[in-house]
Amino acid sequence: MNKNLELITAPLRKTNPVTVLILGICSALAVTAKLKPALVMGLSVTVVVALSNLVISLLRKGIPAKIRIIVQLIVVAALVILVDQVLKAFVYDVSKQLSVYVGLIITNCIVMGRLEAFAMANKPWESFLDGIGNGLGYALILVVVAFFRELFGSGTLLGFQVIPQGLYDFGYVNNGLMILPPMALIIIGVIMWLQKPEEDKK
Amino acid sequence: MESLGIFIRSIFIDNMIFAYFLGMCSYLAVSKNVKTSFGLGVAVVFVLAITVPINYLLDEYVLSTGALAWLSPKFAGVNLDFLSFILFIAIIAAIVQILEMVVEKFTPALYSSLGIFLPLIAVNCAIMGASLFMQERDFTTVGQSLAYGLGSGIGWLLAIVGIAAIREKIRYSHIPKSLQGTGIAFILTGLMGIAFMSFLGITFK
């Protein structure tokens, strides 16, 4: 049981897919200007990684090694289509904001990386947990980045005003730079900077 | 003329790396020296210039609403948009496979230096992203989609060669220990992105 628990908790920090393994940066950063799309994106990726890990792990003995990439891509693409349709049906405005980045979950390196590194060699239940863990690890970074960008960039969180009006009257100005794409990269760089010494200690 | 505008725009303003963060994984993993990153960049330009127009035709004549009307008027109301993810990725994977075989046959030197990265192009977000952006932007001719594919590829090449050159030099600088490697690469990319933003506002009419 402990081992299973570790499958979920390890990717949150020690083997975080974004800051330690440098996977899945591609789609991670563009959706973090606001907290809400980041949450939805993190959740979608978690679902896709967990389910595709499960499916591939069930199929792993029947997949010929030579065409495994194509098989994996097809499974992932089918799952992403499902997620996309669900998002369009229930949270249409967020799905508009995410635009192409939902489709890009297919080519998210985390998904392919976990399939190759874990699901091809492990049992379905473990693979499923591993998928959940990695998805959550990814979501965590997304939410942290989005938190700072939305707080300092727009003064809101999830669309609610957080910075009091009094501060604005006093001369406080939102930092427009935080909304711009390059800041996401710099924030991730700083997160990695803070996380590294902690790992070296272990 | 409009194609030229799209071409230049996709290189500098809508740069794949600095504006959309696409293809970051291989961008960070391969950009340790200029030569290899140039090779990968060229491969990306190739693949983009081929896949974007093909996917454009696929979108125009098979997937979008009423696209099947050329087959029979009965299909005029059919919308196969939801299939685009799976078909695009299948086309991309197939073309990358073909490209890999061609490169292995004709330029073994390039093949050995790119090594495992060619298959990875199939899952490079920049390639898939360009096709999806192409679909979203409603280009009107194949020429425009070709200009877009080519431009995005060249923009990506520019970015990866730029960061590789900086990383080669930065090896001799005193960087805080825990920031070395990828950490500093992230911050560098951010700063390069800010520099690239100075192209914003340039329009081609």
Side-chain angles (χ1 to χ4, degrees):
Chain A
M1 194 57 217
N2 265 341
K3 205 172 135 270
N4 284 350
L5 191 67
E6 205 185 312
L7 285 174
I8 292 191
T9 52
L12 290 183
R13 305 195 69 166
K14 216 166 31 180
T15 59
N16 189 291
V18 180
T19 56
V20 181
L21 305 177
I22 327 291
L23 293 175
I25 318 287
C26 326
S27 56
L29 300 175
V31 299
T32 51
K34 290 263 153 51
L35 199 49
K36 198 173 167 200
L39 278 172
V40 174
M41 186 70 185
L43 201 64
S44 316
V45 170
T46 309
V47 170
V48 173
V49 184
L51 291 182
S52 61
N53 254 0
L54 180 68
V55 172
I56 291 294
S57 174
L58 286 170
L59 294 175
R60 69 184 189 280
K61 298 216 173 82
I63 301 176
K66 277 203 169 139
I67 58 158
R68 64 179 196 285
I69 303 268
I70 306 254
V71 175
Q72 289 163 0
L73 278 177
I74 299 293
V75 170
V76 177
L79 285 166
V80 170
I81 290 176
L82 287 179
V83 168
D84 184 44
Q85 299 290 331
V86 169
L87 288 184
K88 272 191 188 141
F90 293 103
V91 277
Y92 188 72
D93 55 325
V94 177
S95 113
K96 266 272 160 282
Q97 277 175 34
L98 291 176
S99 73
V100 302
Y101 292 99
V102 178
L104 286 175
I105 299 177
I106 300 175
T107 52
N108 192 318
C109 324
I110 295 177
V111 182
M112 295 303 285
R114 286 336 283 173
L115 292 180
E116 277 286 289
F118 201 89
M120 289 301 281
N122 285 283
K123 292 205 188 75
W125 177 237
E126 276 91 25
S127 305
F128 182 69
L129 291 178
D130 179 74
I132 298 242
N134 277 284
L136 289 180
Y138 169 89
L140 182 72
I141 298 295
L142 241 64
V143 167
V144 170
V145 176
F147 176 82
F148 286 112
R149 285 183 75 188
E150 186 170 353
L151 183 63
F152 293 116
S154 340
T156 57
L157 281 178
L158 283 171
F160 297 107
Q161 193 69 33
V162 173
I163 307 242
Q165 187 59 39
L167 264 180
Y168 288 103
D169 298 339
F170 217 61
Y172 176 82
V173 182
N174 283 329
N175 184 354
L177 199 60
M178 293 302 262
I179 301 282
L180 299 174
M183 275 318 280
L185 288 164
I186 294 180
I187 295 179
I188 293 247
V190 172
I191 293 179
M192 288 167 80
W193 188 6
L194 296 177
Q195 205 184 354
K196 201 103 172 260
E198 210 176 300
E199 271 159 44
D200 293 343
K201 254 183 259 160
K202 275 172 203 160
Chain B
M1 203 52 209
E2 206 176 329
S3 297
L4 183 69
I6 293 175
F7 179 68
I8 294 179
R9 207 185 144 78
S10 55
I11 296 182
F12 293 110
I13 304 167
D14 293 341
N15 188 291
M16 276 290 169
I17 300 262
F18 300 130
Y20 298 112
F21 311 111
L22 296 178
M24 289 298 288
C25 307
S26 30
Y27 168 84
L28 288 166
V30 184
S31 63
K32 294 210 173 80
N33 73 65
V34 172
K35 218 174 144 217
T36 339
S37 32
F38 187 76
L40 183 74
V42 171
V44 168
V45 175
F46 254 0
V47 176
L48 272 175
I50 300 169
T51 52
V52 173
I54 290 184
N55 281 339
Y56 172 79
L57 291 175
L58 192 72
D59 188 48
E60 196 75 347
Y61 292 105
V62 183
L63 293 174
S64 53
T65 321
L68 282 172
W70 57 274
L71 213 58
S72 140
K74 260 189 303 189
F75 295 137
V78 177
N79 181 1
L80 293 178
D81 244 359
F82 65 94
L83 280 178
S84 52
F85 291 165
I86 212 163
L87 283 178
F88 284 179
I89 198 73
I91 295 268
I92 290 168
I95 285 175
V96 168
Q97 196 77 57
I98 294 170
L99 189 77
E100 193 189 345
M101 288 192 267
V102 171
V103 170
E104 190 178 10
K105 183 102 175 53
F106 293 106
T107 53
L110 182 66
Y111 183 77
S112 60
S113 74
L114 284 185
I116 54 161
F117 293 115
L118 256 184
L120 276 184
I121 288 187
V123 289
N124 187 328
C125 331
I127 313 285
M128 182 71 181
S131 285
L132 292 174
F133 275 123
M134 173 274 297
Q135 191 186 27
E136 204 182 60
R137 283 189 197 163
D138 293 327
F139 293 134
T140 43
T141 64
V142 186
Q144 286 183 3
S145 66
L146 177 66
Y148 180 69
L150 208 58
S152 313
I154 293 174
W156 201 86
L157 172 75
L158 209 62
I160 194 172
V161 171
I163 189 113
I166 297 178
R167 283 179 85 172
E168 272 188 7
K169 294 271 181 270
I170 214 167
R171 221 171 286 155
Y172 307 106
S173 317
H174 299 289
I175 305 162
K177 193 167 162 281
S178 40
L179 204 55
Q180 274 168 13
T182 1
I184 194 74
F186 269 102
I187 293 180
L188 276 177
T189 313
L191 294 177
M192 284 168 81
I194 293 177
F196 258 69
M197 282 171 63
S198 55
F199 290 110
L200 272 177
I202 301 177
T203 48
F204 295 89
K205 282 279 157 64

